[in-house]
Amino acid sequence: MKKIFKKIIVWILRTEAKLVLKKYKPKIVAVTGSVGKTSTKDAIYTALSSAFFVRKSKKSFNSEIGVPLTILGCQNAWSNPLSWTKNILTGLGVILLKNHYPKWLVLEVGADAPNDIEDIACWLKPDIAVLTKFATVPVHVEFFKSPEDLMNEKKKIIKYLKKDGILVLNGDDEKMQTIEVPEGVRRILFGLNDNSEIRGVGYQVVYEESKPAGITFKIDYAGKSVPVVLPGILGEHQVLPSLAAIAVSVSKDLNVVSVSQALGKKERFQPGRMNLIEGIKGTTLIDDSYNASPVAVKKAIESLASLEVGNGKKIAVLGDMLELGKYSTEEHKKIGNLVAPVCDYLITVGLRSKDIAEGALLGGLAEKNILQFESSEEAGKHLQSFIGNGDVILIKGSQSIRTEKVTEEVMLHPEDKEKLLVRQEPEWLKR
């Protein structure tokens, strides 16, 4: 019964969304890829908002339900039939009544299973498509025959680009270079390598009182160089969403200096994505608890490795990476081997992360410095007992591992958790 109810709701919402697009004809930016979709979507929204009336997907609304909800301007009703009825009525109001509707929509489009992208893209027909990155072993790969099949599914967004559309690609990803650009479509590459038109250079960590406080870099394009400072986050890979946003801005002839300044506003960053949070006992938390895939965990570990911590310790709290199917054991062991020379202590959370512990042991980390827990609550409580001033703690895991609970246990101001942490909605807190 629940599946039937969902199918009916999806059909109604999608039909309403199509009618809304037909009535108001907004320009559409569709963002997809294996990692960084939400951060990229947020950065593009910030960039376009400097000149246009824009709406973006809330949080990670990227599914067959999430995309229509964003188009209609509705909230997720979870399991409440009355709220779904209200959403449907709201959609009818947008269709039948005159509304001050956004000129641009920035939509995240995800793929959990085969045909997910195509089922949305075929009626969305974006003006701009942005592909963030393809991962060797991406999340959700267990629902596809191979990583290549998942990559090909995400590439289907290009098939439905408008004839005079813009295709924004990650120039650092070799797989992107093989993409055939449709006739009439303009391609713009962004990245850290020389072959990109929009290039990030000079990445550095910003320190305040010997603690990491953010990042800085420059954007090079068309012979110009624009400085950018992003406070409160960490990681060289965090440069890429800003570069994608600049690529979209350039395609619309926006003022890049104004856009770069807007990108540096701390309040625009989503929780759980390499956010720097003040911890107890003088520690710094790198809260990357939103989700986890092999490529994202590797980037987070690289960021931890690059930090200067003085006399402090580097601690990695890593939870299971889910939806990897047959690749799970090998990928978890690879992560353990990678993190071993980086951290002083490793804490793992979950059943699959036992393979991270095994990989770290083989990588040379002492057994006494590897701690394993079944739940995030247990890990967080134990973490309190041995952290100290100057320590930097990376916290990351897949959604259902709930590693934000580790962060909550050791953050200095837990009263701010609704603002700083992911999954603070009542529906999540009940789980």
Side-chain angles (χ1 to χ4, degrees), residues 317 347-351 353-354 371-386 401-410:
V317 181
I347 294 177
T348 67
V349 185
L351 180 63
S353 66
K354 292 180 185 295
L371 308 170
Q372 301 179 56
F373 297 91
E374 292 185 4
S375 73
S376 290
E377 293 92 337
E378 291 177 293
K381 285 181 169 61
H382 186 83
L383 187 59
Q384 295 179 25
S385 66
F386 70 94
I401 305 304
R402 306 298 300 279
T403 50
E404 76 275 7
K405 294 182 178 182
V406 177
T407 307
E408 183 180 349
E409 289 288 345
V410 292

Side-chain angles (χ1 to χ4, degrees), residues 266-395:
K266 187 174 182 179
E267 59 269 17
R268 80 172 181 85
F269 300 113
Q270 291 276 5
R273 294 166 175 85
M274 296 296 288
N275 299 88
L276 293 167
I277 296 177
E278 193 174 2
I280 60 173
K281 300 182 180 180
T283 61
T284 299
L285 314 179
I286 307 172
D287 179 43
D288 202 27
S289 57
Y290 169 69
N291 208 351
S293 65
V295 65
V297 177
K298 288 173 186 175
K299 292 296 183 183
I301 292 171
E302 288 172 6
S303 299
L304 181 64
S306 70
L307 293 180
E308 300 171 7
V309 297
N311 295 324
K313 302 184 293 293
K314 292 183 180 180
I315 301 168
V317 181
L318 302 179
D320 291 357
M321 300 180 293
L322 303 181
E323 299 179 342
L324 298 181
K326 64 182 180 180
Y327 303 96
S328 181
T329 298
E330 180 184 1
E331 290 303 315
H332 281 85
K333 287 182 178 178
K334 284 181 181 178
I335 291 299
N337 195 265
L338 182 67
V339 79
V342 171
C343 66
D344 298 291
Y345 286 89
L346 169 66
I347 294 177
T348 67
V349 185
L351 180 63
R352 294 168 184 81
S353 66
K354 292 180 185 295
D355 291 319
I356 297 179
E358 183 179 336
L361 195 61
L362 293 172
L365 189 60
E367 186 173 4
K368 65 182 178 65
N369 291 358
I370 302 173
L371 308 170
Q372 301 179 56
F373 297 91
E374 292 185 4
S375 73
S376 290
E377 293 92 337
E378 291 177 293
K381 285 181 169 61
H382 186 83
L383 187 59
Q384 295 179 25
S385 66
F386 70 94
I387 57 177
N389 187 53
D391 291 353
V392 176
I393 306 157
L394 169 65
I395 302 167

Side-chain angles (χ1 to χ4, degrees), residues 135-280:
T136 304
V137 183
V139 68
H140 307 309
V141 71
E142 70 171 317
F143 305 114
F144 292 80
K145 292 180 181 179
S146 68
E148 288 72 27
D149 281 350
L150 177 51
M151 180 180 72
N152 288 333
E153 178 63 31
K154 292 180 182 291
K155 285 163 62 175
K156 287 179 181 177
I157 197 82
I158 300 168
K159 174 182 174 183
Y160 296 98
L161 258 177
K162 288 197 171 78
K163 290 183 179 180
D164 58 348
I166 308 292
L167 179 58
V168 178
L169 300 176
N170 185 330
D172 298 339
D173 190 333
E174 292 182 2
K175 301 183 188 73
M176 298 279 184
Q177 310 303 322
T178 65
I179 290 177
E180 186 175 341
V181 181
E183 186 178 352
V185 169
R186 176 187 175 188
R187 186 187 76 164
I188 303 176
L189 296 179
F190 69 93
L192 305 176
N193 294 335
D194 293 340
N195 62 325
S196 294
E197 297 146 73
I198 311 296
R199 186 178 173 222
V201 298
Y203 167 85
Q204 289 183 324
V205 176
V206 176
Y207 291 88
E208 292 180 1
E209 298 180 354
S210 301
K211 294 182 179 181
I215 62 175
T216 183
F217 59 95
K218 290 182 180 179
I219 296 174
D220 285 355
Y221 77 101
K224 302 174 184 177
S225 185
V226 179
V228 180
V229 178
L230 303 183
I233 63 170
L234 202 64
E236 189 173 26
H237 58 290
Q238 295 280 22
V239 174
L240 296 172
S242 294
L243 298 181
I246 294 295
V248 172
S249 301
V250 167
S251 75
K252 297 292 116 184
D253 298 321
L254 299 185
N255 185 304
V256 176
V257 174
S258 299
V259 170
S260 66
Q261 291 172 347
L263 290 171
K265 293 180 180 179
K266 187 174 182 179
E267 59 269 17
R268 80 172 181 85
F269 300 113
Q270 291 276 5
R273 294 166 175 85
M274 296 296 288
N275 299 88
L276 293 167
I277 296 177
E278 193 174 2
I280 60 173

Side-chain angles (χ1 to χ4, degrees), residues 17-56:
K18 289 178 182 178
L19 291 172
V20 167
L21 296 183
K22 185 176 181 180
K23 178 179 179 179
Y24 296 100
K25 296 179 174 56
K27 299 290 186 180
I28 295 173
V29 182
V31 181
T32 193
S34 299
V35 291
K37 294 187 295 295
T38 302
S39 297
T40 301
K41 174 257 300 179
D42 289 341
I44 294 169
Y45 168 81
T46 298
L48 290 177
S49 293
S50 66
F52 305 107
F53 177 26
V54 189
R55 177 185 293 166
K56 67 174 179 176

